[in-house]
Amino acid sequence: MNTLQKPLPIAKPMMGEEEVEAVRSVIESGWLTQGPWVRKLEDAFAKRHEVGHALATTSCTTALHLALVAAGVGPGDEVIVPALSWVATANVVVHCGAKPVFVDICADSYNIDPEAVAAALTPQTKAIIVVHLFGLAADMDALTSILPEHVVVIEDAACAAGSAYKGKPAGSLGDIACFSLHPRKSVTCGEGGVVTTNDERLAAIVDTYRNHGASLSEEARHRGAKPYELPDFKVFGFNYRMTDLQAAIACVQLTKLDRFIAERRVLADIYDARLQRIPWLAAPMRPQGYDHALQAYVVMVDETRAPASRNELLGHLQASGIGGRPGTHSIVGLDAYRRTFGTRPEDFPVATRAESQSMALPLHNHMGPDDVDRVAAALESVA
């Protein structure tokens, strides 16, 4: 490693004094749990993503769980899931007692393949989780045109804050959607999630279940006329509430989202140009009609032409002080799913290849053009 160059991480949150002051105001208020800052975040998030309702949660995983619960998914149901995604996309289906039905992805977009979805539909299909992977929205028109009306469309928009499809923001494209506020995402508060929907009934179910199943929120009770009266509990809910500490950070971050994405697009353009010199790397597609949020910049390694395997390339970057990562994993190859559901990676060739040959390069708002040149030069030096 060149000790004269600083390490270049795969991701690095962009925080400033505004976030510090927002947290300070929460601490000084004395109200730390879900409260006025959460409501402020929800209002702003709903407005930015053009939906009627946004509800903050502890993570995108719990948001997905709540979305499935709101959709009525349970034992005996099937939920279609893309084979390539973070494992949480499928885990939540299992936690509902339902069966994840995996389908392959499109090689050019990393997103779910509509033709594979059509072949996977059965009378037991209750919902589909459509992942907008790495910040590129899935082809929603192709998907919705083949889905029966009763199938609930859940967007896994973990990577897609600020992205859009044909002018409509992610989070407004299906029946209900789930976002992540993890540090690898463009907008973060450490951990956290947001559910969005235009369906008032689904929003009400999510709101109740995230708060233990209570008929009244803690803020409404404690600030009401009779704070000593406990609410009723008509369902068995969960404690999936975001704190005001997290929401304060996320509120500030959300105001910067469009700038963050614009800066990332400049860096992605430079990547695209530089990587044209490396014939064994394929840059991520950014088709017309899609506003790519660029949560990650994920290339595909052609191992038939590359001077080294994907993992060897990642090792070379690491030795150069550059933090690369695999794109994500193919869930069907994970031990728990192979043992429990009998999934076979060979049945999902595109996802299996993407797992072994995709590579996320550093992309974050602390970077400049020189950093992109450094990454490209390190890759070129392998040859």
Side-chain angles (χ1 to χ4, degrees):
M1 174 179 170
N2 186 346
T3 57
L4 296 179
Q5 290 185 302
K6 293 182 179 180
L8 179 58
I10 183 69
K12 186 178 181 181
M14 177 68 83
M15 296 283 176
E17 283 301 314
E18 305 99 320
E19 287 86 350
V20 173
E21 287 305 312
V23 171
R24 187 191 309 278
S25 71
V26 174
I27 294 172
E28 291 175 348
S29 76
W31 188 278
L32 304 185
T33 188
Q34 180 179 307
W37 274 98
V38 168
R39 283 187 282 108
K40 183 178 178 181
L41 171 63
E42 291 171 340
D43 290 344
F45 208 94
K47 182 178 180 180
R48 173 60 183 81
H49 292 89
E50 299 179 12
V51 291
H53 307 276
L55 301 106
T57 65
T58 54
S59 69
C60 187
T61 304
T62 56
L64 285 166
H65 189 197
L66 289 168
L68 289 168
V69 170
V73 172
D77 294 329
E78 294 179 352
V79 179
I80 295 176
V81 177
L84 189 77
S85 183
W86 186 247
V87 68
T89 306
N91 282 353
V92 289
V93 178
V94 178
H95 292 317
C96 287
K99 178 184 178 182
V101 176
F102 294 100
V103 298
D104 215 343
I105 61 166
C106 298
D108 54 356
S109 68
Y110 303 111
N111 282 329
I112 196 167
D113 183 348
E115 291 186 8
V117 170
L121 289 167
T122 75
Q124 287 71 48
T125 305
K126 187 68 171 283
I128 179 173
I129 300 180
V130 179
V131 180
H132 305 316
L133 202 56
F134 308 132
L136 177 67
D139 188 345
M140 297 301 293
D141 286 350
L143 289 166
T144 55
S145 67
I146 61 174
L147 291 172
E149 190 172 328
H150 73 275
V151 174
V152 179
V153 178
I154 300 171
E155 298 173 68
D156 182 338
C159 304
S163 70
Y165 171 80
K166 297 185 177 180
K168 290 188 63 177
S172 70
L173 304 172
D175 296 302
I176 191 166
C178 306
F179 292 83
S180 172
L181 301 176
H182 182 273
R184 282 285 302 271
K185 310 307 188 245
S186 300
V187 169
T188 183
C189 57
E191 284 284 3
V194 180
V195 176
T196 60
T197 183
N198 282 310
D199 189 314
E200 189 170 348
R201 182 186 67 86
L202 294 177
I205 296 172
V206 169
D207 193 22
T208 298
Y209 271 88
R210 70 171 170 172
N211 184 33
H212 299 285
S215 59
L216 189 69
S217 74
E218 289 295 283
E219 183 189 13
R221 179 168 72 90
H222 285 292
R223 292 183 171 174
K226 297 180 179 180
Y228 49 83
E229 289 188 355
L230 294 176
D232 195 8
F233 294 82
K234 299 182 184 299
V235 297
F236 301 106
F238 316 98
N239 182 5
Y240 287 170
R241 297 170 300 182
M242 178 183 282
T243 69
D244 263 24
L245 288 165
Q246 294 167 290
I249 298 171
C251 278
V252 176
Q253 288 270 291
L254 187 61
T255 66
K256 303 176 182 180
L257 174 60
D258 292 328
R259 172 167 64 85
F260 285 167
I261 293 175
E263 292 172 354
R264 286 167 180 246
R265 286 178 180 155
V266 171
L267 297 172
D269 288 342
I270 300 171
Y271 262 130
D272 289 349
R274 280 299 312 267
L275 296 187
Q276 286 182 3
R277 307 178 195 175
I278 306 177
W280 41 268
L281 279 183
M285 67 179 275
R286 288 190 279 160
Q288 288 189 343
Y290 295 71
D291 292 333
H292 200 314
L294 289 164
Q295 177 268 332
Y297 188 90
V298 180
V299 300
M300 185 71 81
V301 179
D302 183 351
E303 292 195 346
T304 66
R305 305 169 66 191
S309 69
R310 190 278 309 275
N311 282 353
E312 289 170 333
L313 291 168
L314 288 173
H316 177 75
L317 291 178
Q318 185 73 19
S320 303
I322 298 169
R325 296 289 187 273
T328 190
H329 48 220
S330 179
I331 304 171
V332 294
L334 300 176
D335 183 63
Y337 285 89
R338 298 183 72 165
R339 284 188 291 104
T340 306
F341 298 100
T343 54
R344 304 190 313 161
E346 58 267 30
D347 293 336
F348 307 88
V350 184
T352 299
R353 175 175 177 262
E355 178 187 54
S356 65
Q357 298 184 33
S358 63
M359 182 166 59
L361 302 179
L363 182 68
H364 52 81
N365 296 87
H366 290 273
M367 291 176 58
D370 289 347
D371 295 307
V372 176
D373 286 339
R374 178 182 167 191
V375 176
L379 291 168
E380 288 173 322
S381 73
V382 177

